[in-house]
Amino acid sequence: MTNTTSENKEVLLSIKGLCKHFELKSGLLNNKTNYLKAVDNLTLDIYKGECFGLVGESGCGKTTLGKMIAGLYKPTQGEIMFNGVNLGAITRNERRKYARDIQMIFQDPYSSLNPRMTVEEIISEPMVVNKTHHGPEISKRVEYLLECVGLAKQYKTRYPHEFSGGQRQRIGIARALAVSPRLIVCDEAVSALDVSIQAQILNLLDDLKSEFGLTYLFIAHGLAAVKHISDRIGVMYLGSLVEVAPKEAIYDNPMHPYTKSLISAIPIIDPNKRKDRILLKGDLPSPIDPPKGCRFNSRCFVENCQYKQESQILLPNGNHLVACKHVTEGGVVEH
Ligand SMILES: Nc1ncnc2c1ncn2[C@@H]1O[C@H](COP(=O)(O)OP(=O)(O)OP(=O)(O)O)[C@@H](O)[C@H]1O
Ligand SMILES: [Mg+2]
């Protein structure tokens, strides 16, 4: 069963009202249980073949969302539909197949690769665990995957410490590709690398996307990092999305006050195009006790907004989805 949108784009991943609330251990004298709302009522569709860039400040819940999608965390509430199948309503055996379909690449390739295993063992592990390939075909596939990610097949006998950061990330990508996934969650996949190496890995990911018909959820801190690779961008704030739009629309016409502040933080070389940076007051509020009503209200610079006390959901506004009723009701956002 597949799901199709009005623009005839096929939805691969559909998330509705997703929450991950971590229970916090209380002290001996305190009986009250607190919850940290890492992801809170998040709704999102990702289309087949696209690269969806997800940005937001540290601690806003990006990795937690990625881990729920990849099946590493169980959602507290909400629904994850993959290719029309509700991942929360299937058996553990069926879930295994979807665990192959959705792979994750992490920020730090060194800590995500087992230092005691050779490259061949690292890349073949998912094939052995998932029983997707057998005997000599495993070794052949390892060589093929190494070539796909731009590494010589002779490297298969080496260990992770014998590689540079960029090469290690290529090994991580080869491992993610081993079981022919359909969706890859790239969690800050290039953030730890040198700028020139970042560009190489981004180009590699872009090439692999067309070659293997992949879909990406590409997570990064800032908008500058997702600019080149993404088709659409989602801006996350305190556990939920505040704006989703095609890449150009986010850069040329940001609508949510938070997105406007992120865009204003991107350095612009042309002095004629420079705009004043919007500095938000305060830090990201605690996800243990988020602001009531609009979750951005404690840092919002819109004066006299009449919706501060109302919780906001994503609403369509042109080709954007914006969680700000002030905007969707036609209000002006000026700094
Ligand atoms: N296993 C856990 N138990 C309790 N709290 C957690 C756990 N994992 C994450 N958190 C909390 O959930 C919130 C979101 O964390 P998460 O790692 O998803 O943020 P992030 O957006 O990926 O941040 P960064 O950009 O720094 O990687 C944070 O407040 C974090 O402390
Ligand atoms: Mg993270």
Side-chain angles (χ1 to χ4, degrees):
M1 185 174 66
T2 49
N3 199 355
T4 313
T5 64
S6 51
E7 302 121 345
N8 263 341
K9 285 182 194 149
E10 225 176 290
V11 175
L12 181 66
L13 184 81
S14 181
I15 294 170
K16 286 200 179 63
L18 197 67
C19 299
K20 181 70 191 173
H21 296 173
F22 292 107
E23 192 177 325
L24 298 177
K25 291 194 173 57
S26 46
L28 272 178
L29 301 173
N30 185 359
N31 284 331
K32 191 171 167 252
T33 309
N34 283 320
Y35 291 92
L36 186 152
K37 296 170 181 154
V39 172
D40 203 23
N41 198 15
L42 187 140
T43 292
L44 165 70
D45 282 343
I46 295 184
Y47 305 127
K48 217 168 256 185
E50 79 167 334
C51 176
F52 187 91
L54 180 71
V55 296
E57 273 164 283
S58 180
C60 72
K62 305 179 295 294
T63 298
T64 307
L65 171 66
K67 285 187 171 175
M68 283 193 279
I69 294 170
L72 302 174
Y73 280 157
K74 196 170 185 287
T76 311
Q77 210 179 300
E79 195 179 86
I80 303 175
M81 304 277 288
F82 182 78
N83 213 28
V85 175
N86 183 350
L87 296 186
I90 54 177
T91 63
R92 269 181 74 172
N93 260 349
E94 287 171 317
R95 185 74 182 83
R96 250 183 233 145
K97 179 193 170 313
Y98 293 99
R100 294 203 296 269
D101 281 340
I102 308 173
Q103 293 291 312
M104 196 158 176
I105 302 171
F106 295 93
Q107 171 175 5
D108 179 359
Y110 198 57
S111 61
S112 61
L113 303 179
N114 187 334
R116 288 186 200 86
M117 284 163 84
T118 63
V119 168
E120 174 153 25
E121 286 165 343
I122 289 170
I123 299 175
S124 52
E125 193 182 35
M127 295 186 254
V128 175
V129 170
N130 289 290
K131 302 189 180 84
T132 53
H133 298 78
H134 304 276
E137 62 176 355
I138 292 184
S139 194
K140 279 245 151 18
R141 185 157 171 82
V142 169
E143 290 179 4
Y144 164 72
L145 290 167
L146 281 173
E147 277 176 7
C148 288
V149 298
L151 292 174
K153 56 186 180 193
Q154 290 79 0
Y155 286 171
K156 67 180 185 177
T157 53
R158 295 201 193 171
Y159 289 85
H161 73 267
E162 297 174 73
F163 293 91
S164 69
Q167 287 173 324
R168 280 199 285 263
Q169 197 54 291
R170 288 174 192 266
I171 297 168
I173 294 169
R175 182 178 60 180
L177 290 174
V179 286
S180 311
R182 301 180 64 188
L183 172 73
I184 300 188
V185 178
C186 306
D187 188 6
E188 310 263 5
V190 297
S191 309
L193 305 173
D194 209 277
V195 179
S196 61
I197 309 294
Q198 280 190 6
Q200 289 175 14
I201 300 291
L202 287 176
N203 286 337
L204 171 69
L205 286 169
D206 215 18
D207 293 345
L208 294 172
K209 182 163 151 293
S210 344
E211 200 175 325
F212 290 91
L214 298 166
T215 302
Y216 292 148
L217 170 61
F218 192 88
I219 298 174
H221 274 99
L223 278 162
V226 293
K227 187 166 186 177
H228 296 290
I229 195 162
S230 307
D231 299 302
R232 285 189 310 142
I233 290 176
V235 179
M236 197 166 170
Y237 184 79
L238 208 56
S240 201
L241 285 163
V242 293
E243 184 162 358
V244 176
K247 171 172 70 180
E248 297 75 20
I250 285 278
Y251 287 94
D252 299 343
N253 182 25
M255 289 184 173
H256 193 282
Y258 181 60
T259 318
K260 280 185 183 278
S261 78
L262 291 185
I263 291 285
S264 80
I266 301 176
I268 298 173
I269 297 163
D270 184 348
N272 300 320
K273 289 189 178 168
R274 267 185 214 154
K275 288 193 184 143
D276 284 344
R277 173 142 188 215
I278 302 173
L279 287 172
L280 296 176
K281 51 189 180 198
D283 293 325
L284 189 68
S286 164
I288 302 171
D289 187 20
K292 305 274 175 301
C294 168
R295 66 185 70 228
F296 188 59
N297 74 26
S298 60
R299 295 169 87 191
C300 190
F301 50 85
V302 173
E303 282 169 17
N304 306 321
C305 171
Q306 48 178 312
Y307 305 104
K308 279 184 190 292
Q309 304 314 320
E310 279 182 34
S311 63
Q312 305 291 321
I313 53 161
L314 288 175
L315 294 171
N317 199 34
N319 57 352
H320 294 237
L321 290 168
V322 195
C324 174
K325 227 169 158 186
H326 179 77
V327 170
T328 50
E329 292 292 322
V332 181
V333 180
E334 268 183 285
H335 186 255

